[in-house]
């Protein structure tokens, strides 16, 4: 049985708290950087859960949708430090 890591992708001030939980953080500042980071995390196949802020997720939803067909990693949308935008609940309803 493999041991998987957890990762958080998003704005630095939104994901910095995950460090206290032992989650690897990957701050991003653009949609290109977010897409590249998400692709690399999934190609490495070391992360079982990837938390991603709603604001960043909106920018890379095409990649997230394609990853939803895989068992791992599980992509979990979280609110940013500016609060929830309802995007995560909308996605859950669609699924």
């Amino acid at each position: 049985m493999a041991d998987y890591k957890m990762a958080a992708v998003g704005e630095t001030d939104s994901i910095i708290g995950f460090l206290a939980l032992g989650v690897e953080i990957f701050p991003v500042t653009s949609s290109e950087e977010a897409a590249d980071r998400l692709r690399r995390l999934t190609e490495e196949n070391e992360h079982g859960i990837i938390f991603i802020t709603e604001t960043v997720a909106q920018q890379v939803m095409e990649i997230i949708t394609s990853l939803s067909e895989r068992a791992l990693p599980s992509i979990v949308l979280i609110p940013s430090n500016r609060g929830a935008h309802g995007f995560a609940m909308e996605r859950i309803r669609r699924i």
Side-chain angles (χ1 to χ4, degrees), residues 21-43:
L21 301 172
V23 176
E24 291 182 87
I25 65 167
F26 299 93
V28 295
T29 57
S30 70
S31 59
E32 293 82 18
E33 189 178 7
D36 182 56
R37 174 54 63 189
L38 200 51
R39 281 190 200 100
R40 284 193 284 163
L41 286 171
T42 55
E43 287 170 2

